[in-house]
Each structure stands twice: as structure tokens, then as C-alpha cells.
Amino acid sequence: MNNKKVCVVGLGGVGGYLGCMLAQHYDNIYFFARGERLESIKKNGLLLHSDAFGEFTTHPAKASNKADEMGVMDYIILSVKNFSLEQVCNEISPMIDRHTVIIPLLNGVSASGKIRNLIGKGRVLDGLIYITSGANKDFSIHHTSSYGVVHIGYERGNQYDENILSEVQKLLQSANITCVIESDIESAIWTKYILNCAYNVVTAYYKATTGDIRKNKIAIMQLKSLLEEACSVARKLKINIASDLEDVHFKHILQKQSESATSSLNRDITFGRQNELEIFSGQLLESASICQLKIPMTQFFYEELKKVSQFNKYFSS
């Protein structure tokens, strides 16, 4: 694997964690970043504070915002926010040829399809990650969970050589990144999406951590309702989710998740940044409309958070 070129695109909480883990084990890791983050990486490297792996600084083979400087990659891990996806896909095109394997780890349920349409070359897998991590003001990464699990697979109609999945799994697991190959990646993606449609929205609305939510009886009831609504949409779409998924997610949040954890949606809305509310609520509402389902709790949070998001964005600009 040291003969393969790997680029991590997007060095926030998820990409920063993966980039650090990979760069600690391989000499051929490239970082695609911009602005002050790029300058910080060039000057200081990228620092990871991990509850699971300790604290260390890594230096990529090269960090740049110019894809043509880094050349064609064998693997690209794409971990950016959905609202910047089109721009990023255009920027990284020089790093991709027909052999390049692209591993998208974005929120939502349609990222891989969008990437295939935008790039038009390479081999785009389907993927997701479970992790609790974020980027600090100094661009270092905090990883506050004992886990960081990548799931990969092929959606129906997009199969490539099965050996590719095994190669990606080997690449990641050799760097202490757990990687699971899914036989039904669509189900796995929706399983995580349903969790985000409830957890991210509730924590953003209450500006809360998991510990705060556990102390709020109303928030707990709303969380349960949001999970039920998202599951109802998935089942109407014939997604093969677990029959008790609402309860599984509900118990995980109330009993297992770190008390200090919160969501990227909460952080982004609080600081008036562009955010993924449209992915977590807007997209679910569109799917519900297609299915002729009413999801009133989701509708309520969507409308309220849009107001808060616009207000905070105005006063932070």
C-alpha cells in the first residue's frame, strides 16, 4: 500500500482524523485543503487529540489546494460538507483518472450519486463513517469517541471489481481505522442518516450536548418522534432497515453516547456558518412528500432551525 497515492479531501473533524491516522502509518498521504487550514498544515502539520489513540502530529507527503500539483491519485477519501461538493469535485478533477477509487464519507443518502455525475470518471464507492470528532480553532482535530468506523460497499447498479472493497479495507485497517464491507450499503447509509435526522436536529435546536438532551424530558420525546418519522420514510421507500431501528438509536443516544458529544449542525448553526440542515431535514421532507407521508415533528424543527440559521448567519457576517 505504500506504493499507492492517497489523498484526503476535507480536513475537518472526519477528514482530519482519517488523514492523521493514515499519515502516521504511510508515507504517501496527501492533504487537499484551503486557506488558513492549509497554511497551518504546511507550517505545523496536523495535530490529533484522540481519546482512543492519544495525541500526535502528522505531516503529509504534500498539502495543497491545487490538484494538478499532487498528480493522479490511487485513492481519494472525500469528506466535505454537501454544500461545497460541486466546487470540490471540480477542483479535484486533475487527481482522478479511470482507475482512481473515490471513497465518499459525507452526510445524507445521495452523495455518491452526485459525485458520479459531477466527476464522470474514476470508481466511486458508497460509504459512511461513525465517529465523534471535530476541528478546533487552531485546526487541530479532537476525536472524543472510542470508535471511528468506516462502512463501504456498492449500491445496486454501481458494482466494480469486488477486490477494490478489500483493498480499501486493507488500506484503512492497516492504519488502525476500522472498516466494514457492507452487503447492503444503502441500508447502512440510511441507518446512519436516520440517526442524524434526529440527533443533529435536536442538538442544534437546543444548542445542546448529549448530556443536556438526557436531562430534557421534552427533547427526549421529540428525539423519539424524529427517529420514528425518519424510519417511516425509509420503510415507505423500501429501504431494508431494522424493524426496531428507532429503539436501537434511541437507546444508543440515551445510554451509550458520550455526554460531551454534540453535532456538526449544532456547531455550524451556532457560529452562523453554512450548514447541512437541508440534508438532515429538507431532504427527508422531500422524500416524505414523494411517499405522501406527513412528518410534522421534522417539519417543525426544519422551519425553526431555518429561522435560527438565517438569524445567526446575518449577525456573524
Side-chain angles (χ1 to χ4, degrees):
M1 285 296 173
N2 256 319
N3 295 321
K4 303 288 187 180
K5 291 177 68 176
V6 183
C7 185
V8 180
V9 179
L11 278 299
V14 172
Y17 167 78
L18 295 171
C20 283
M21 295 295 288
L22 288 164
Q24 189 188 35
H25 291 83
Y26 297 113
D27 299 326
N28 56 347
I29 307 302
Y30 295 75
F31 291 170
F32 185 87
R34 301 191 195 95
E36 293 181 5
R37 173 175 276 116
L38 174 59
E39 294 310 311
S40 175
I41 292 171
K42 285 182 173 180
K43 182 179 179 181
N44 306 310
L46 188 59
L47 172 62
L48 175 68
H49 311 270
S50 172
D51 287 358
F53 299 103
E55 182 175 299
F56 56 87
T57 299
T58 58
H59 297 269
K62 186 176 184 63
S64 177
N65 62 353
K66 295 180 174 63
D68 52 3
E69 287 185 355
M70 296 193 283
V72 173
M73 294 291 154
D74 295 292
Y75 299 97
I76 294 176
I77 296 174
L78 190 54
S79 179
V80 298
K81 297 292 178 70
N82 278 270
F83 48 75
S84 64
L85 185 58
E86 184 171 355
Q87 178 185 348
V88 168
C89 284
N90 288 331
E91 290 175 345
I92 67 172
S93 181
M95 291 194 290
I96 303 167
D97 69 9
R98 64 190 183 91
H99 300 294
T100 305
V101 177
I102 302 163
I103 306 133
L105 300 176
L106 284 76
N107 290 317
V109 294
S110 58
S112 296
K114 290 179 183 176
I115 293 165
R116 290 184 188 103
N117 290 333
L118 289 167
I119 292 177
K121 55 184 174 179
R123 295 173 285 185
V124 183
L125 307 187
D126 297 275
L128 64 124
I129 184 170
Y130 284 98
I131 192 170
T132 305
S133 60
N136 300 316
K137 289 183 179 179
D138 64 356
F139 306 111
S140 64
I141 306 300
H142 58 264
H143 171 226
T144 57
S145 53
S146 59
Y147 56 86
V149 185
V150 174
H151 298 248
I152 57 173
Y154 295 132
E155 281 192 353
R156 287 167 288 184
N158 292 310
Q159 285 84 359
Y160 306 103
D161 182 352
E162 288 298 322
N163 289 331
I164 293 174
L165 295 176
S166 298
E167 289 169 4
V168 171
Q169 184 182 53
K170 182 180 178 181
L171 170 75
L172 296 177
Q173 295 197 156
S174 295
N176 285 334
I177 301 165
T178 304
C179 180
V180 178
I181 297 174
E182 295 283 354
S183 59
D184 187 348
I185 192 66
E186 187 177 38
S187 171
I189 287 172
W190 267 90
T191 295
K192 183 193 174 186
Y193 180 59
I194 288 164
L195 176 65
N196 286 342
C197 287
Y199 179 75
N200 286 37
V201 167
V202 167
T203 51
Y205 180 79
Y206 287 103
K207 302 177 184 176
T209 63
T210 303
D212 297 328
I213 297 299
R214 288 172 181 164
K215 298 170 188 173
N216 186 330
K217 291 183 179 180
I218 293 174
I220 290 172
M221 292 171 58
Q222 291 169 325
L223 176 70
K224 195 168 193 295
S225 181
L226 287 167
L227 287 168
E228 290 168 351
E229 288 184 353
C231 283
S232 72
V233 173
R235 293 187 181 111
K236 195 74 172 179
L237 291 171
K238 308 295 185 187
I239 308 298
N240 186 32
I241 59 170
S243 60
D244 61 345
L245 186 59
E246 304 94 321
D247 294 331
V248 170
H249 280 333
F250 189 64
K251 289 176 182 175
H252 173 80
I253 294 168
L254 295 187
Q255 297 174 10
K256 296 181 180 180
Q257 197 164 34
S258 168
E259 285 210 348
S260 63
T262 190
S263 66
S264 59
L265 185 63
N266 177 30
R267 289 190 292 266
D268 289 342
I269 289 180
T270 297
F271 293 108
R273 299 190 294 242
Q274 202 167 0
N275 61 72
E276 293 187 302
L277 177 62
E278 289 298 329
I279 296 296
F280 298 127
S281 297
Q283 193 175 76
L284 186 66
L285 285 163
E286 287 180 13
S287 296
S289 177
I290 292 168
C291 299
Q292 298 183 319
L293 282 178
K294 299 288 186 183
I295 48 174
M297 190 64 72
T298 300
Q299 185 76 50
F300 167 77
F301 278 104
Y302 176 64
E303 291 173 359
E304 292 301 308
L305 283 171
K306 274 187 77 173
K307 295 175 191 174
V308 175
S309 178
Q310 289 165 359
F311 179 87
N312 289 354
K313 188 175 181 180
Y314 176 80
F315 280 98
S316 67
S317 62

